[in-house]
Amino acid sequence: DAIANFTALPSCSHAMPNIEVIEADAATLQLLRGGGKVQEEVSPLEVHFSQHVIYPLFSDGTSVDETVREVKAIECDEDEDSCWLRAPFPTIQAVRWCPKLRDGEGKPVLDENGEERRGVEGLFTLDNRRLYVLQRAAVYHYPRKCKISVEVITERWEVLHHLKKFRTRTNGLSIFISEWNGTGRDNTKHFDVLRVWDWRSAVSRLEDGGPAEQEQAAEAADAGNCGCWEYLDPQQICRGPYSNWQMQQWWDHKMLPRELQIRPFQPKTGAGEGDSWEDFRPVMEVFADAPSPFAPGWSPEVTLKGTE
């Protein structure tokens, strides 16, 4: 019978074969793990920020502004219109993802069904200060294409670990450079904005190709600041700062009212200095001499206070 047949089986003096003790080649291991890391050659202007705010110093105390000056452009033998950027820090890491859309207060934006809305898929860095440095260097050489090597993380558990830290409110298109208030570095609450970086605003007039526009982009790259705006919402609450390029997108899509009140953003530099800020004015008055509101190249002038 079945029991007799079972007991008649020969005994086994060693463990049965197990997939866990079989040595797999590299390709099989990557398949089992769901990915790993791959190297991609891209422009730093194609990489998005994953955070909303960065501190102007690296963890070792090195200034991001000083580091920009150490980035070298290396000629590409195969393409004279391109160059490699050699930076004094390791290769940046990134993940491909569609981040949550967030409002001005950092809260997720919901659709009509109450589901969280997602932004456009892109390559989002995990090293935001390094990307800030590389984008400034790339703008300095614009319109020449600058290339960097990016280590793209594909292992799904590691990707999920990093996604928990995403805080961008602009789908990674811009970032605040800021000092923090209080004791922590909560990048959604306790900070005072020093400047805003958005490379699209910095190069927006370079399509004209003139030396003045090239100089303007170089100045933005050197300052790490593109100039930006604040506006009053219907509840008379000050919103911003936002880059000229971001405001232009909202204006062109008719998401801002024609009676909108705006003013150039100025960072807080001390108690009482806010009295010197400009008054809010109607957007049509501010851009009376411009081709259109928030036209390319019509960013607020970057002040010395905004770059210190």
Side-chain angles (χ1 to χ4, degrees):
D1 56 20
I3 296 180
N5 290 337
F6 176 79
T7 56
L9 290 174
S11 62
C12 188
S13 59
H14 59 274
M16 293 293 290
N18 190 309
I19 190 65
E20 295 174 353
V21 300
I22 295 178
E23 184 175 353
D25 57 26
T28 303
L29 284 174
Q30 179 150 327
L31 178 63
L32 292 172
R33 293 170 181 165
K37 298 175 181 177
V38 296
Q39 296 286 331
E40 292 191 20
E41 298 176 2
V42 299
S43 165
L45 305 183
E46 298 172 7
V47 185
H48 301 237
F49 296 102
S50 62
Q51 294 298 318
H52 180 52
V53 181
I54 57 173
Y55 192 56
L57 300 176
F58 287 103
S59 56
D60 64 357
T62 304
S63 165
V64 294
D65 297 324
E66 293 297 328
T67 305
V68 173
R69 300 180 179 94
E70 298 180 28
V71 178
K72 306 298 183 184
I74 309 301
E75 299 296 326
C76 289
D77 295 334
E78 67 278 7
D79 184 1
E80 62 180 15
D81 294 327
S82 300
C83 64
W84 284 94
L85 294 181
R86 180 180 296 170
F89 45 69
T91 301
I92 66 171
Q93 293 185 317
V95 297
R96 290 199 178 277
W97 192 247
C98 299
K100 299 175 184 177
L101 293 179
R102 297 180 183 273
D103 63 18
E105 297 179 350
K107 300 177 182 178
V109 177
L110 307 180
D111 62 19
E112 61 275 8
N113 298 318
E115 300 292 333
E116 293 180 345
R117 294 180 57 188
R118 296 279 175 176
V120 178
E121 179 179 339
L123 199 59
F124 289 81
T125 186
L126 309 178
D127 304 298
N128 292 272
R129 283 172 290 192
R130 296 180 191 176
L131 178 61
Y132 174 54
V133 168
L134 292 168
Q135 285 197 354
R136 287 171 62 178
V139 166
Y140 186 83
H141 294 283
Y142 197 90
R144 194 178 191 192
K145 182 177 181 179
C146 296
K147 297 190 292 186
I148 60 171
S149 180
V150 177
E151 188 177 73
V152 182
I153 297 173
T154 59
E155 200 281 315
R156 62 177 177 272
W157 298 116
E158 188 173 357
V159 169
L160 291 174
H161 170 73
H162 290 297
L163 293 182
K164 297 177 182 178
K165 305 176 184 178
F166 274 38
R167 291 294 182 273
T168 177
R169 302 179 190 176
T170 61
N171 207 54
L173 300 179
S174 62
I175 197 161
F176 289 170
I177 296 81
S178 172
E179 296 286 0
W180 272 258
N181 295 326
T183 58
R185 291 185 180 178
D186 184 336
N187 71 1
T188 62
K189 296 180 181 178
H190 307 295
F191 63 88
D192 282 332
V193 177
L194 298 176
R195 42 187 142 137
V196 177
W197 175 252
D198 174 3
W199 70 264
R200 293 163 182 80
S201 290
V203 305
S204 59
R205 291 192 66 179
L206 283 182
E207 286 72 15
D208 298 339
E213 287 73 22
Q214 184 69 52
E215 182 179 354
Q216 184 183 48
E219 289 175 353
D222 187 57
N225 191 351
C226 64
C228 44
W229 302 97
E230 294 177 313
Y231 71 86
L232 290 177
D233 70 9
Q235 287 73 43
Q236 298 300 295
I237 297 174
C238 179
R239 300 295 186 184
Y242 298 109
S243 71
N244 194 70
W245 185 86
Q246 179 69 77
M247 296 291 287
Q248 180 193 31
Q249 299 301 305
W250 287 334
W251 183 267
D252 290 347
H253 286 82
K254 304 186 184 306
M255 299 173 68
L256 298 174
R258 290 183 62 84
E259 62 273 14
L260 185 72
Q261 301 271 327
I262 66 172
R263 72 179 180 189
F265 167 74
Q266 292 182 335
K268 297 179 182 178
T269 57
E273 292 195 21
D275 295 338
S276 64
W277 288 359
E278 291 187 25
D279 293 332
F280 285 96
R281 294 190 293 154
V283 63
M284 302 306 294
E285 177 184 319
V286 173
F287 291 102
D289 298 327
S292 61
F294 311 107
W298 284 77
S299 299
E301 183 177 345
V302 175
T303 63
L304 182 59
K305 288 187 298 182
T307 61
E308 291 178 343

